[in-house]
Amino acid sequence: MTTIMHLKGGVPILKPYGKLIGVAASQFREKLISQMDASDMSGILIDFKRVNKIDSAGLGTLVEAYIVARRKKGRIGVINVGMNIKSLIIRTRLINIFEHFDNEDIAVAILSNRVNLHAQGE
C-alpha cells in the first residue's frame, strides 16, 4: 500500500492507495500517527478515493488516529469515502468520530480553522 502525503493550506492530506488491510493498515498507521505526532496542526484530512477495502486493522488505525487527534485537541476529516467503506463505518458505529466533507477545499478551510463550520450550514 502506498500513502501520498501533502500539505494544502497548512492541513496535511493523506491519500492511501489500495487496500487498508493487514500489513498495509499497519504501514498506513505508521504514516498517519507519525504525521500527527510530529505536527501541531489543528486538523488532518484523509482522502479515501483510492481505497477499495478496509478491515478491522484499518478501522483500528482510524480509531487510534481519532484518539491521538482528540488528545491534541485536533480533528480528522475524511473525503471521498466509497459506499463499501462508508457502510462498514456506519455498521461499526464509527461514523460520528470523523468529520465528513464533500470536497478537499471545504475540508481544508474548515480543518485549518479558517472557516466556522456552523457558518457554512453544515
Side-chain angles (χ1 to χ4, degrees):
M1 165 173 229
T2 301
T3 301
I4 305 295
M5 198 282 294
H6 70 278
L7 288 174
K8 182 174 182 179
V11 174
I13 301 173
L14 278 82
K15 296 182 177 186
Y17 287 75
K19 297 177 181 176
L20 200 54
I21 61 174
V23 174
S26 295
Q27 293 168 344
F28 179 67
R29 179 200 169 280
E30 290 298 319
K31 185 119 181 166
L32 177 60
I33 301 300
S34 66
Q35 177 64 38
M36 294 175 75
D37 285 341
S39 167
D40 288 334
M41 297 177 190
S42 61
I44 192 164
L45 181 63
I46 305 170
D47 183 345
F48 283 97
K49 185 175 187 170
R50 303 260 191 293
V51 175
N52 52 23
K53 188 172 183 180
I54 189 168
D55 69 358
S56 60
L59 289 175
T61 294
L62 297 176
V63 170
E64 185 175 354
Y66 169 76
I67 292 167
V68 170
R70 295 303 297 171
R71 268 191 239 136
K72 296 181 84 168
K73 304 206 185 313
R75 300 153 64 187
I76 297 178
V78 296
I79 57 173
N80 299 318
V81 180
M83 262 334 253
N84 289 339
I85 294 172
K86 189 172 189 172
S87 175
L88 179 61
I89 291 172
I90 290 169
R91 283 194 318 267
T92 56
R93 301 176 194 241
L94 298 175
I95 191 76
N96 295 323
I97 69 172
F98 305 107
E99 295 180 60
H100 300 263
F101 299 99
D102 292 330
N103 70 58
E104 189 174 286
D105 292 333
I106 291 172
V108 167
I110 292 171
L111 292 173
S112 66
N113 290 322
R114 290 189 313 222
V115 173
N116 183 327
L117 180 62
H118 300 292
Q120 292 296 309
E122 296 203 12

